Amino acid sequence: MRFPNIEFFKNNVSEFESATGITVEWVEIPHDNMHERFVQEAISQSGAIDIYDTDQPWISEFASKGYLEPLGDKLSEEDKSDFYDSCIRCIFL
């Protein structure tokens, strides 16, 4: 099964790297293994994964266990303008 957001990120990673100077190492984890892998990485605090693209049902679980970090104070107002208001309220605060 292919997910449209994965294709979007893959198709735009070069533009992101050029604009930011950040090199992206793409790690695609089969959906059946994602939850286990994310929890293992969070518990070990290995720092191997900087950004997760995860299923919504796991967000509250990960947040309640302290696996997620609010981004509200790490982004400028200009950066925040790239996101829908509903995302800002739910994710970054």
Side-chain angles (χ1 to χ4, degrees), residues 40-49:
Q40 287 176 349
E41 293 291 342
I43 290 171
S44 72
Q45 297 181 344
S46 71
I49 299 175

Side-chain angles (χ1 to χ4, degrees), residues 10-85:
K10 284 184 172 182
N11 291 336
N12 291 283
V13 71
S14 295
E15 182 181 345
F16 173 82
E17 289 177 330
S18 295
T20 64
I22 297 170
T23 301
V24 173
E25 179 183 346
W26 187 265
V27 177
E28 195 167 341
I29 301 166
H31 191 272
D32 291 345
N33 303 98
M34 288 172 72
H35 184 271
E36 179 181 357
R37 173 75 185 270
F38 293 169
V39 170
Q40 287 176 349
E41 293 291 342
I43 290 171
S44 72
Q45 297 181 344
S46 71
I49 299 175
D50 296 316
I51 299 173
Y52 295 104
D53 181 15
T54 185
D55 280 357
Q56 185 181 16
W58 304 338
I59 300 292
S60 60
E61 173 193 351
F62 291 173
S64 70
K65 293 180 179 178
Y67 299 161
L68 304 177
E69 184 174 342
L71 299 176
D73 61 344
K74 297 183 180 357
L75 298 175
S76 69
E77 290 304 315
E78 182 180 349
D79 289 335
K80 289 179 185 178
S81 70
D82 290 337
F83 296 90
Y84 292 113
D85 287 340

